[in-house]
């Protein structure tokens, strides 16, 4: 895997990404509020909806002072004698204990207060208090430290145990946790949920380093001994009955016997209301009933120091791996792989949520997105710089190799590591009288003349798929069929030969009047070997073989016979132009050459008939060629 990013940049990005993830992770492990919490709220609600609701435990029931109860009582708050009647009905129905989620703070009529206190004293009751916090009070404590407690009326408090009803909400106002303990002088106070669960089980709760034990059940708690709520569903998922039924003396034993009862207000316009993932408006008593049910059935979300540490490690790893993916993979593939990594993590946290583990979905996302996005931007910048450099290098390379060969080598670095044999048309062209001209012009002007000549040859050749393989002073070797073969290679070579003669003569006549305007071109078709020649660190692509040698000799034939073009019989047959060569007023003669010693024989006229077969059979190692005569020859 190769990247355009320099090593120092990769090290810097990995370091910055790890530091950023580490900072967010430390904040998360310490439980400090951050922008990540808002992201987590949305992701947590999404998980809750994916997993869906579930049945609440049968051990908990709610007796609700609902709209019907308030209407029947004719007032709110209810007269405390009526409230005592409800509590007595709960006791007679066989409930194990009652948790009253109502702030009964001020006195009313003495006989009503005494009646309510008497009813409360007849069974285990936890009565609500509220912690009040002040920013002016600063105390280093692992648990919430209120500045004051709003306590129930003393006569009522004496008949019951205090339980605080405060909950911890997120930025959107959704209760997410219930503190189990509050740092109150002279001794900590328990929450109403913890008191109620203890009453129901008959066991005294004991705190551990990161949890609470009630009887034989250990429940993990978050920092500061906070219980993470795991909602069951919308309103009234926890068994709920109206207090009016108890006021009317109905038999509700089937609904309350053996159960812990949460007594609270659900009437419209009174009591506290909260937004939950399943319900836009849920009474506070149902929030507390959810917490008590979580303690009883062990379904509270596990979010403790261990889980937070897993979140922190995952955030760092996702960040580092994300940066590595978009650094070393192709940018599109790396971005897709990073997105897949985040989706995989979200799938993991969703699966874990189904087993009551609250892993952070937001922390790895928030930790990895900024550094990965920065890496993508830098990668694009360096990729563009690298592309410009490669384009510049390729342009420079194309000055030394044909563009078609450069493209092939760029696409396949192993191209021609092994020689390749193929059929090709080879064309040699040079200028007559070059030596004398160069002596008259001098080095600089000779160079300008050759550059123009070479430009004409390359442009004419590339127009028909030819590749300039070699420049030899005033001579150029062109190959047709390199690196890829085409059916028209031979005909393209012949057409190029004639177009070169016309173009070069026109150039000399226009720019260099008085100079010799004789061009010699030789063309042959046959097998060539295409390979890399040179040292391991300095190579060039070359075409070698008998075909190249013959084409070079044909150029000499054209010179010896004062002709402009010499074509081998092989290239004529391959192009299928035997008849066409005799049209257009061109002057030709047929001759033969020896492969071995290049001696020329058998001159004949333009319209000569073929030699008798016996005569041709006696001529060995010879090639038949057609020579176009120059206008002056």
């Amino acid at each position: 895997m190769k990247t355009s990013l320099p090593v120092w940049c990769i090290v810097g990005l990995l370091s910055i990404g790890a530091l950023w993830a580490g900072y967010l992770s430390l904040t998360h492990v310490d439980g400090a509020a951050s922008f990540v919490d808002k992201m987590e709220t949305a992701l947590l609600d999404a998980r809750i909806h994916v997993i869906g609701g579930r049945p609440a435990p049968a051990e908990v029931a709610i007796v609700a002072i609902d709209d019907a109860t308030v209407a029947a009582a004719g007032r709110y708050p209810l007269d405390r004698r009526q409230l005592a009647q409800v509590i007595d009905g709960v006791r007679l129905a066989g409930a194990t204990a009652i948790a009253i989620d109502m702030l009964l703070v001020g006195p009313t009529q003495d006989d009503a207060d005494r009646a309510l206190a008497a009813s409360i004293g007849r069974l285990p009751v936890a009565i609500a208090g509220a912690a009040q916090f002040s920013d002016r009070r600063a105390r280093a404590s692992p648990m919430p430290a209120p500045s004051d407690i709003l306590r129930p009326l003393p006569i009522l408090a004496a008949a019951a145990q205090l339980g605080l009803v405060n909950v911890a909400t997120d930025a959107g106002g959704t209760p997410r946790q219930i503190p189990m303990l509050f740092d109150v002088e002279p001794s900590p106070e328990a929450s109403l949920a913890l008191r109620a669960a203890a009453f129901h089980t008959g066991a005294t709760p004991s705190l551990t380093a990161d949890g609470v034990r009630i009887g034989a059940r250990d429940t993990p708690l978050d920092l500061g001994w906070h219980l993470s709520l795991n909602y069951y569903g919308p309103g009234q998922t926890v068994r709920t009955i109206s207090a009016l039924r108890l006021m009317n003396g109905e038999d509700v034993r089937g609904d309350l016997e053996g159960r812990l009862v949460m007594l609270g207000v659900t009437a419209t316009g009174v009591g506290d209301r909260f937004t939950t993932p399943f319900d836009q408006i849920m009474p506070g008593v149902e929030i507390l009933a959810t917490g008590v049910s979580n303690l009883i059935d062990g379904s509270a979300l596990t979010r403790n120091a261990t889980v937070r540490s897993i979140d922190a490690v995952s955030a760092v790893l996702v960040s580092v791996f994300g940066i590595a993916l978009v650094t070393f993979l192709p940018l599109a593939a790396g971005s897709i792989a990073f997105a897949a990594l985040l989706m995989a993590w979200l799938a993991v946290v969703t699966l874990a949520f189904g087993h009551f583990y609250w892993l952070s979905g937001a922390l790895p996302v928030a930790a990895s997105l900024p550094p990965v996005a920065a890496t993508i931007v830098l990668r694009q910048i360096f990729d563009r710089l690298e592309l410009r450099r490669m384009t510049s290098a390729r342009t420079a390379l194309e000055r030394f190799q044909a563009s078609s060969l450069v493209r092939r080598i760029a696409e396949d670095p192993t191209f021609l590591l092994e020689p390749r044999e193929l059929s090709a048309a080879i064309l040699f062209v040079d200028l007559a009288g070059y030596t004398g001209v160069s002596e008259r012009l001098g080095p600089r002007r000779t160079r300008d003349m050759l550059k123009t000549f070479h430009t004409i040859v390359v442009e004419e050749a590339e127009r028909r798929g030819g590749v300039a393989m070699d420049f030899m002073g005033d001579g150029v070797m062109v190959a047709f069929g390199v690196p890829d073969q085409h059916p028209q290679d031979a005909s393209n070579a012949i057409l190029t030969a004639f177009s070169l003669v016309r173009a070069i003569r026109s150039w000399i006549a226009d720019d260099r009047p008085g100079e010799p305007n004789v061009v010699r071109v030789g063309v042959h078709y046959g097998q060539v070997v295409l390979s890399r020649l040179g040292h391991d660190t300095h190579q060039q692509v070359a075409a070698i073989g008998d075909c190249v040698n013959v084409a070079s000799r044909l150029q000499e034939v054209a010179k010896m016979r004062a002709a402009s073009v010499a074509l081998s019989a092989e290239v004529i047959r391959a192009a299928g132009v035997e008849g066409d060569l005799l049209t257009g007023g061109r002057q030709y003669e047929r001759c033969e050459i020896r492969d071995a010693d290049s001696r020329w024989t058998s001159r004949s006229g333009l319209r000569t008939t073929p030699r008798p077969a016996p005569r041709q059979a006696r001529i060995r190692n010879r090639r038949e060629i057609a020579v176009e005569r120059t206008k002056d020859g």
Side-chain angles (χ1 to χ4, degrees):
M1 295 183 293
K2 187 178 180 181
T3 177
S4 61
L5 294 175
V7 174
W8 63 266
C9 188
I10 296 173
V11 173
L13 287 169
L14 290 173
S15 300
I16 292 173
L19 288 173
W20 170 249
Y23 165 73
L24 292 182
S25 297
L26 288 176
T27 302
H28 177 71
V29 169
D30 291 339
S34 71
F35 70 94
V36 178
D37 298 332
K38 295 182 179 180
M39 295 175 58
E40 180 61 19
T41 295
L43 292 176
L44 182 60
D45 286 346
R47 274 172 273 172
I48 291 174
H49 287 293
V50 168
I51 298 301
R54 65 188 196 285
E59 290 92 335
V60 180
I62 296 174
V63 172
I65 300 176
D66 53 13
D67 291 329
T69 305
V70 172
R75 54 172 290 182
Y76 184 84
L78 271 63
D79 185 278
R80 290 185 178 173
R81 282 181 290 264
Q82 294 173 315
L83 195 57
Q85 183 183 358
V86 172
I87 293 174
D88 286 337
V90 171
R91 175 177 57 81
L92 294 174
T96 59
I98 297 179
I100 302 176
D101 180 28
M102 301 172 65
L103 292 176
L104 305 174
V105 178
T108 60
Q109 299 176 5
D110 288 344
D111 58 340
D113 293 340
R114 286 194 298 269
L116 179 57
S119 297
I120 289 174
R122 295 189 181 103
L123 77 167
V125 173
I127 192 168
Q132 296 179 310
F133 296 87
S134 173
D135 294 337
R136 291 175 295 178
R137 185 189 182 200
R139 178 194 297 178
S141 175
M143 64 185 74
S147 58
D148 196 10
I149 298 293
L150 193 62
R151 298 177 182 275
L153 190 67
I155 190 175
L156 303 178
Q161 293 193 28
L162 177 68
L164 301 184
V165 295
N166 301 74
V167 296
T169 62
D170 59 23
T174 299
R176 297 296 180 182
Q177 294 181 322
I178 297 178
M180 294 290 98
L181 284 181
F182 296 82
D183 186 5
V184 179
E185 294 178 352
S187 63
E189 290 286 357
S191 69
L192 185 67
L194 184 59
R195 293 285 191 197
F199 280 156
H200 178 72
T201 60
T204 301
S206 61
L207 293 177
T208 62
D210 60 353
V212 61
R213 174 173 294 175
I214 304 177
R217 184 181 297 281
D218 288 321
T219 301
L221 300 178
D222 201 359
L223 303 177
W225 291 286
H226 282 59
L227 178 76
S228 298
L229 292 172
N230 190 2
Y231 288 96
Y232 295 96
Q236 298 192 8
T237 299
V238 178
R239 180 191 299 266
T240 302
I241 67 169
S242 174
L244 181 60
R245 296 176 61 189
L246 295 167
M247 292 172 59
N248 292 337
E250 292 185 26
D251 184 6
V252 292
R253 183 175 295 273
D255 294 307
L256 302 182
E257 186 174 15
R259 293 180 173 89
L260 169 68
V261 171
M262 304 291 296
L263 175 60
V265 180
T266 64
T268 305
V270 295
D272 48 359
R273 295 287 190 276
F274 296 94
T275 298
T276 71
F278 291 106
D279 208 327
Q280 290 296 315
I281 300 176
M282 181 176 282
V285 66
E286 293 200 48
I287 304 296
L288 294 177
T290 298
V292 174
S293 299
N294 287 169
L295 286 171
I296 291 174
D297 69 2
S299 65
L301 294 177
T302 300
R303 195 187 207 194
N304 52 17
T306 300
V307 171
R308 287 180 178 269
S309 297
I310 294 173
D311 292 337
V313 172
S314 301
V316 174
L317 290 178
V318 169
S319 297
V320 171
F321 276 109
I323 293 171
L325 288 172
V326 298
T327 296
F328 295 106
L329 291 179
L331 194 53
S335 301
I336 294 173
F338 170 64
L341 180 62
L342 291 183
M343 295 301 295
W345 172 252
L346 293 178
V348 168
V349 300
T350 302
L351 183 63
F353 185 85
H355 293 81
F356 309 146
Y357 285 91
W358 182 1
L359 294 172
S360 176
L363 181 62
V365 175
S368 61
L369 276 179
V372 169
T375 304
I376 291 174
V377 172
L378 286 176
R379 176 75 184 273
Q380 288 178 327
I381 293 173
F382 278 94
D383 280 354
R384 289 179 182 177
L385 292 175
E386 179 69 10
L387 180 61
R388 290 179 184 175
R389 187 192 66 80
M390 292 180 64
T391 302
S392 177
R394 182 168 175 172
T395 301
L397 181 60
E398 288 178 350
R399 298 178 186 273
F400 298 93
Q401 289 282 5
S403 58
S404 58
L405 294 175
V406 171
R407 284 194 299 270
R408 178 60 67 85
I409 294 172
E411 294 169 358
D412 181 12
T414 64
F415 177 62
L416 292 183
L417 287 181
E418 293 294 331
R420 235 177 100 193
E421 188 173 355
L422 48 81
S423 297
I426 302 297
L427 179 151
F428 276 88
V429 57
D430 75 347
L431 293 172
Y434 166 73
T435 303
V437 172
S438 63
E439 291 175 352
R440 291 194 305 274
L441 294 178
R444 183 179 296 275
R445 295 174 63 193
T446 299
R447 181 259 184 194
D448 294 339
M449 180 194 72
L450 288 178
K451 183 176 181 181
T452 304
F453 168 66
H454 292 159
T455 299
I456 293 173
V457 174
V458 171
E459 290 177 351
E460 291 293 328
E462 289 185 346
R463 187 174 295 124
R464 297 181 179 85
V467 175
M469 301 293 294
D470 199 3
F471 296 94
M472 303 154 288
D474 65 330
V476 183
M477 170 184 163
V478 180
F480 294 81
V482 173
D484 299 308
Q485 295 175 276
H486 299 282
Q488 294 80 26
D489 288 335
S491 58
N492 284 335
I494 293 174
L495 291 173
T496 301
F498 293 119
S499 68
L500 278 174
V501 172
R502 291 190 297 270
I504 294 171
R505 284 177 175 173
S506 176
W507 159 59
I508 294 176
D510 292 341
D511 292 352
R512 319 200 66 81
E515 299 288 352
N517 65 349
V518 179
V519 186
R520 314 297 186 188
V521 183
V523 186
H524 181 53
Y525 184 84
Q527 294 292 307
V528 299
V529 176
L530 197 63
S531 63
R532 297 186 184 186
L533 298 180
H535 190 268
D536 289 342
T537 60
H538 185 190
Q539 298 178 339
Q540 70 176 32
V541 176
I544 58 176
D546 184 61
C547 179
V548 177
N549 298 333
V550 172
S552 177
R553 290 173 185 170
L554 287 172
Q555 186 185 47
E556 294 297 325
V557 169
K559 179 179 179 181
M560 293 177 62
R561 298 189 176 267
S564 56
V565 176
L567 307 175
S568 70
E570 286 83 353
V571 75
I572 294 173
R573 283 194 294 268
V577 294
E578 294 92 336
D580 296 338
L581 288 176
L582 301 179
T583 63
R586 294 187 178 92
Q587 300 179 32
Y588 289 93
E589 65 179 69
R590 290 182 179 273
C591 61
E592 294 180 355
I593 62 171
R594 293 183 184 272
D595 288 345
D597 54 13
S598 301
R599 287 178 295 181
W600 320 109
T601 62
S602 307
R603 294 187 65 176
S604 61
L606 175 62
R607 299 185 181 276
T608 184
T609 57
R611 297 176 182 274
R615 169 63 174 164
Q616 290 185 346
R618 291 195 297 270
I619 301 174
R620 300 181 180 275
N621 299 324
R622 298 179 181 180
R623 297 182 184 274
E624 188 178 61
I625 62 172
V627 180
E628 183 191 23
R629 307 285 286 178
T630 60
K631 292 181 180 180
D632 56 354

